[in-house]
Amino acid sequence: MEKEALLCSVDADEMVSQQPKRCKAGLITMPFIIANEALARMASLGLLSNMILYLMGSYKLHLGQATQILLLFSAASNFTPIVGAFVADPYLGRFLGVGLGSAVSFLGMTLLWLTAMIPAARPPACSHLTEGCKSATKGQMTMLLSAFSLMSIGNGGRSCSIAFGADQVNRKDNPNNHRILEIFFSWYYAFTTISVIIALTGIVYIQDHLGWKIGFGVPAALMLLSTLLFFLASPLYVKVTRRTSLFTGFAQVTVAAYKNRKLSLPPKNSPKFYHHNKDSDLVVPTDKLRFLNKACVIKEHGQVIAPDGSAINPWRLCTVDQVEELKAIVRVIPLWSTGIMMSLNIGGSFGLLQAKSLDRHITSNFEVPAGSFSVIMVAALFIWIVPYNRILIPLASKIRGKPIRISAKRRMGIGLLVSFLHLVTAATFETIRRKKAIKEGYLNDTHGVLKMSALWLAPQLCLGGIAEAFNGIGQNEFYYTEFPRTMSSVAASLSGLGMVAGNLVSSFVFITIENVTSRGEKEGWISDNINQGRFDKYYWVIAGFSALNLLYYLVCSWAYGPTVDEVSKCNSSSVEVNKKARVHPSSSQPPLKCNSSTVGINKTAKVQPSSSQPPLKVRKEKLGDRITALHQLVSPFGRTDTASVLSEAIGYIKFLHGQIELLDDTGLKRKGAPIPNQTAKANKGKNLRTRGLCLVPMSSLCPAHNMLEAQMELNICREAWK
């Protein structure tokens, strides 16, 4: 949660920088924005908690049909925030995004409330004496699905709420700006959490005891109040609109890289050949995904660069920042895909049906609503965060004698492991529950309540909450640290996009299992009576997928390489090694430089003994380090075996000799400079030339049209040598 807040603060800082002066906004707007989100969250979650019971009871839908509707609705609700960000940031602005989203959500909830109020809007009650149960008509289903669609669209607009709130309180000229932002985000998440707990307890209790008319009417009234409060403070808001889009930038980089595919890449240490923003920290692109670097290569300044420094045609020349933004997205896609498994489930409604079949009495007079057991997962998530940050990490640091921190990428993996344990626990519990139901004679009784406490659901719910605490928060932090600052909004939305994919995959798996297990008029695993169905086997199938996903994560994590945090740690360790090398000049250890390919090298160098006569094993490690450093110098993208590296180095030295001869015969002669034959002979074996290197003043080079052509000629020669 803290990292998600940071994401929004960075994005807000970017947006508010366009407003040089303002005389409104500030903390006075905070109650209205927080109330809008808290009430909207309370209303939406309050409606969904018992929705499976409403669809199966009032609309006479089978469990499979109802689950499919809820899975698709969840996928749509998680996808529309991405569309909302795409539309709101560059076009509508966040104020209209949140305002229209709230209004549309209210219309959807009102329409859903009308399905409960109007008898003709839903199928009639079942009559067992005549024709039995009638299914819903097309008109009735259209009204129901329209309500779900409007709520999904409204959720997309309301997703800008936290960023819009940050726009109001973020002021660069305020020395207490960070503290004010911290206050806003703390209260925002606190009230949002409280609203979730109220929705899962209070509104669910109203639906169970007062019926659907009041149970749906209360959320609709809360949504109306949320919308009115937001628009009530309209004169106080700062309304910012930005006219740029990351998606357009991604398309421009792709097109420019394709159009410039025949260009040869200039040297990496030549910023003047790459188009970059004047105030950007990135002046040259990275070596990863090098084929995209051609999108920012400058061919001729006058023809592609405008007088103000911008590209004349952004579809032919992009900035280094744009290239690195697209690279960041492409690189994290494999690791992002491992998080899809976190949202792969039976549909979220099966736990409610399990709870209804168990004893939920706390006292003889009070029974916990079945839909309220999800509070255990929410509570486990937040309760785990406190001891993890305040007890476990400090204790581990004290034991190890140094600061201990679990990286974001590793926490993602821990979350996937705990999620696997959660599914195994759920499968084991369902096996036990079903056997007990059969033993007590409830095999054909859908409404039978077992002599088994519903608190046995707590272990799997707690594991689910802990898994989300590790993986969910780890994902947000990982995207934030790995992405450029300009992509903070994309980083915040990737987790939601993973939920979309997870819900769609869940829907596909649900349909497949239902169709495969019910072939040949067999009794399938999916049944309206959970005692007859085989949901325990369903859980074991998903647990198997989770185990495979864990292995897939390990491969993706290895392929991704070191993260920004690991490279930073490597840099600090390499500084210490280089300091020691300077203190002991007689040592043969070369200075170390840290990058994605030398993290392991620096770790090895760090543990080498300082003895002047190291053991044979250590000398071999030093030789390996030198071969690796030589490989990075002469052919960083070639073969890495020792023979190939030495062959490349010999050939490169021969190439340098040829360049020296070329410079002696052309550049120096044309300038009339004396050729130091006698001096070279007298100092043979002592100068740089005899060692394969030569430093020639640029003024002595043969005339060239510009520096770019000279560098391109050297590149062509080097490519020919390769």
Side-chain angles (χ1 to χ4, degrees), residues 549-614:
N549 184 67
L550 195 57
L551 297 177
Y552 172 61
Y553 162 80
L554 295 176
V555 174
C556 293
S557 178
W558 169 82
Y560 188 87
T563 61
V564 171
D565 291 340
E566 291 169 343
V567 171
S568 299
K569 188 183 297 183
C570 171
N571 283 330
S572 61
S573 64
S574 65
V575 169
E576 294 298 324
V577 173
N578 292 337
K579 284 181 179 178
K580 292 180 181 179
R582 288 195 294 269
V583 172
H584 304 285
S586 59
S587 173
S588 59
Q589 175 67 35
L592 293 174
K593 295 182 179 181
C594 193
N595 52 43
S596 60
S597 62
T598 59
V599 174
I601 297 174
N602 291 333
K603 289 180 179 178
T604 305
K606 189 175 180 180
V607 299
Q608 291 177 352
S610 58
S611 173
S612 59
Q613 296 293 334

Side-chain angles (χ1 to χ4, degrees), residues 229-546:
L229 285 175
F230 180 77
F231 282 109
L232 184 64
S234 177
L236 302 176
Y237 297 141
V238 168
K239 305 175 180 71
V240 184
T241 302
R242 185 174 60 187
R243 295 293 179 182
T244 58
S245 172
L246 279 174
F247 298 94
T248 304
F250 295 159
Q252 289 173 344
V253 172
T254 305
V255 173
Y258 177 78
K259 289 181 178 180
N260 299 338
R261 63 189 183 279
K262 295 183 179 180
L263 287 179
S264 58
L265 290 172
K268 181 184 176 183
N269 58 349
S270 302
K272 55 183 171 295
F273 299 138
Y274 294 100
H275 180 45
H276 56 272
N277 296 323
K278 294 180 180 179
D279 57 346
S280 175
D281 296 332
L282 295 172
V283 294
V284 293
T286 59
D287 287 334
K288 297 183 182 297
L289 303 174
R290 294 177 72 240
F291 64 93
L292 292 175
N293 292 352
K294 297 182 179 181
C296 58
V297 174
I298 301 174
K299 291 183 288 186
E300 295 184 15
H301 278 267
Q303 296 183 8
V304 295
I305 301 294
D308 61 352
S310 62
I312 295 177
N313 184 358
W315 294 92
R316 276 196 171 274
L317 180 64
C318 302
T319 63
V320 175
D321 288 308
Q322 287 178 295
V323 172
E324 292 305 314
E325 286 168 358
L326 181 57
K327 284 183 181 181
I329 285 287
V330 174
R331 287 192 66 213
V332 304
I333 285 177
L335 273 174
W336 165 83
S337 64
T338 63
I340 294 176
M341 191 65 218
M342 294 295 297
S343 299
L344 183 61
N345 50 51
I346 293 184
S349 56
F350 178 68
L352 185 145
L353 299 178
Q354 275 185 316
K356 283 186 69 68
S357 69
L358 301 172
D359 183 12
R360 293 173 280 118
H361 283 90
I362 294 180
T363 65
S364 58
N365 297 323
F366 181 75
E367 185 180 44
V368 179
S372 298
F373 277 84
S374 299
V375 173
I376 298 176
M377 181 178 290
V378 177
L381 190 156
F382 287 99
I383 291 174
W384 171 257
I385 294 175
V386 175
Y388 172 78
N389 290 319
R390 301 293 183 180
I391 300 176
L392 295 181
I393 294 299
L395 182 61
S397 300
K398 187 176 182 180
I399 294 174
R400 293 292 300 274
K402 61 180 181 179
I404 298 296
R405 180 181 177 275
I406 303 176
S407 66
K409 188 171 69 170
R410 191 165 296 174
R411 273 182 280 148
M412 291 168 61
I414 294 174
L416 294 176
L417 175 61
V418 177
S419 176
F420 167 72
L421 298 177
H422 155 70
L423 292 171
V424 170
T425 304
T428 304
F429 172 77
E430 174 55 20
T431 302
I432 297 173
R433 190 208 63 80
R434 185 174 181 274
K435 288 181 179 179
K436 189 170 182 62
I438 295 174
K439 184 178 179 180
E440 294 183 7
Y442 293 123
L443 178 62
N444 298 315
D445 187 357
T446 307
H447 303 288
V449 177
L450 308 183
K451 296 178 181 179
M452 186 178 187
S453 175
L455 290 178
W456 284 107
L457 291 170
Q460 68 189 63
L461 292 174
C462 288
L463 286 173
I466 295 173
E468 184 63 30
F470 272 108
N471 188 269
I473 298 176
Q475 278 194 63
N476 285 329
E477 181 176 344
F478 175 74
Y479 300 143
Y480 174 71
T481 55
E482 295 299 304
F483 283 0
R485 287 170 59 92
T486 53
M487 297 181 64
S488 58
S489 58
V490 176
S493 62
L494 274 181
S495 298
L497 190 60
M499 295 180 187
V500 175
N503 288 321
L504 293 178
V505 173
S506 297
S507 177
F508 173 76
V509 172
F510 191 94
I511 293 174
T512 303
I513 289 180
E514 185 178 27
N515 293 336
V516 170
T517 59
S518 60
R519 285 178 180 174
E521 298 183 355
K522 295 180 181 178
E523 187 70 30
W525 293 2
I526 311 299
S527 174
D528 292 350
N529 185 346
I530 62 173
N531 297 328
Q532 292 181 350
R534 296 308 307 267
F535 291 96
D536 53 339
K537 293 183 177 180
Y538 195 148
Y539 268 125
W540 284 116
V541 170
I542 299 179
F545 288 152
S546 181

Side-chain angles (χ1 to χ4, degrees), residues 659-660 663-664 667-668 694-701:
Q659 292 298 304
I660 293 170
L663 293 172
D664 285 345
L668 295 176
C694 184
L695 300 177
V696 181
M698 294 304 297
S699 60
S700 300
L701 289 174

